[in-house]
Amino acid sequence: MADADEDVIHAPANASTQAEVDLSDETQDFRFLNHLNFFADSSPGIPRRGEKDFEPNPTELQADVLAASRGAMHNALSYPRLHGAKTRVIAFYAPDGYVPPAQPDRAKPKPGEDGKSSESTPKPARPLPSSARISPDACVYVPSPKGQFFKTMGQADSSSRVWLLPEEALYLIERGSLDIRWPSPSASATGPGEEDLSVPMSLQAAYACFMGRGGLTLERYSVYTGLKRLGYALVRAPGWCDDIEPQDADVSDASKAAPNKLHGPGLAGILGSLFNWIHDPLSTASTATGPIIGTGIHRHYMDVYRKLAIIPWYDPVTARERHPFDTTPPFRVVFHIYKPSTPFKKSAPPTPDFRIAVVSTRDQTTMPTMTQLGALLESTPLDPPRGEKMERMMYMRLRHGYRNVVMAVVDQGVVSYLRIADSAFGKEKLYENKGGPQGPKRSRTNQKPRKR
């Protein structure tokens, strides 16, 4: 107690105001939500919050305030979300996946009907358009799609039904843009009265049905919905499936290269190699037995610098490209990302702007090895730095690299993006920089006179 009294004596008068108080840790008062009329046609504004009382007292006033606040929040969250008649989009859940549309039955003409002879052959029916390639993981179809979301989501079949993947359907129902119905047991095809007979699917049921279907995990959905809200277009990559093991390289006996037979160069070859060794400034044959830069003729400092580069360096251009399934999960590209400004067409997607691999900290608790990162980078196509800025700025070329991948690390719902690039430091020759020394130039007028 004596120490506490001394602290109070030596503390300044405004010490109580300097204490840091985090209001987010306190219990919020949500009683102001009771003044909202949720079922009114107009949308009123949010009223002012009530004042909080933190002073302890022997009454049950604070307990009653807390109970009323929780009840008001419960009433606000239980407000039903309704779809407008003009903007409502109805979809149907297909638990068995994609089902081809039923072919309409055409009635055969009877002989002698409408004054036509039986010998007249009817015109052949117009063939239906070929169905687009529908993913086997698609489980929701929209008979009458409308809205801007279907420009980058779903695939249409021959009957103009748009089939959605689990992450696409879950994203649309979560934001209130899609009304998914359970399949009606009365009819197999969409009829005029099926919408009234089917039961709407709740958000909890959508999570239970779609999460875990077709390789969709909570971490992948967190990355998908976060980028989708920012306006990006996302498409599944070929490495989406994790259950496919890395492919074994099939090496046949015919593909093995035959050993090269060594032949003597002869007298002319020996003399030619001797003269080339003397006059070739790029030769490093004498490095092991003589000086580092050799004993040849050097006509420029660049020749000397090239011979001083005795340490081999890695060239990403010469690295072989791997199949996406040659990598080990979770270090696989699962999403192709397109910027909002990139023209996107579902039938022919352009080259993606980013390639993302989703890593969960629950399954992967350690840093990836160099072998895993190398296989991940080699599974992407070569993308060398191009452009006017890339040619002028060396550091921009190194940052861009020749191959690049974005790793989305999901830790308990928090997504962190890490970009990994395969740079070629050995290709950047500092001694070949033709520009002058960088930095501010001092004029002669500002220079101090020399002392004599």
Side-chain angles (χ1 to χ4, degrees), residues 231-420:
Y232 291 91
L234 287 83
V235 178
R236 284 187 179 185
W240 174 269
C241 300
D242 290 343
D243 53 352
I244 300 179
E245 298 296 333
Q247 296 181 352
D248 298 332
D250 298 333
V251 181
S252 59
D253 297 336
S255 62
K256 294 182 180 179
N260 298 327
K261 297 182 180 180
L262 301 178
H263 298 280
L267 181 59
I270 294 175
L271 293 177
S273 60
L274 177 61
F275 284 106
N276 291 335
W277 172 75
I278 294 176
H279 294 281
D280 188 9
L282 301 178
S283 177
T284 57
S286 61
T287 302
T289 58
I292 295 180
I293 61 175
T295 57
I297 300 175
H298 306 91
R299 303 183 182 276
H300 200 274
Y301 280 110
M302 291 187 181
D303 301 336
V304 179
Y305 290 136
R306 290 192 187 98
K307 285 197 173 184
L308 288 176
I310 59 177
I311 300 176
W313 48 274
Y314 169 70
D315 189 3
V317 179
T318 59
R320 65 181 183 90
E321 292 188 5
R322 298 193 182 188
H323 196 271
F325 296 144
D326 291 343
T327 57
T328 56
F331 302 104
R332 283 181 180 175
V333 178
V334 295
F335 284 121
H336 288 170
I337 313 298
Y338 301 90
K339 296 179 181 179
S341 58
T342 302
F344 181 78
K345 190 177 181 180
K346 292 191 296 184
S347 58
T351 303
D353 298 321
F354 306 101
R355 295 173 176 86
I356 289 187
V358 181
V359 180
S360 174
T361 56
R362 295 186 301 176
D363 304 329
Q364 184 70 26
T365 58
T366 58
M367 291 291 294
T369 61
M370 291 298 297
T371 305
Q372 293 173 339
L373 289 180
L376 176 61
L377 289 172
E378 291 175 2
S379 64
T380 60
L382 192 65
D383 184 20
R386 297 187 181 93
E388 182 182 356
K389 286 187 177 181
M390 296 288 185
E391 295 177 358
R392 291 188 291 103
M393 305 179 68
M394 178 187 63
Y395 295 103
M396 186 174 290
R397 294 194 299 268
L398 293 176
R399 184 178 62 180
H400 182 273
Y402 285 77
R403 290 184 175 90
N404 53 81
V405 177
V406 178
M407 291 181 58
V409 183
V410 184
D411 184 8
Q412 301 295 331
V414 180
V415 184
S416 302
Y417 295 97
L418 177 64
R419 185 178 181 273
I420 301 175

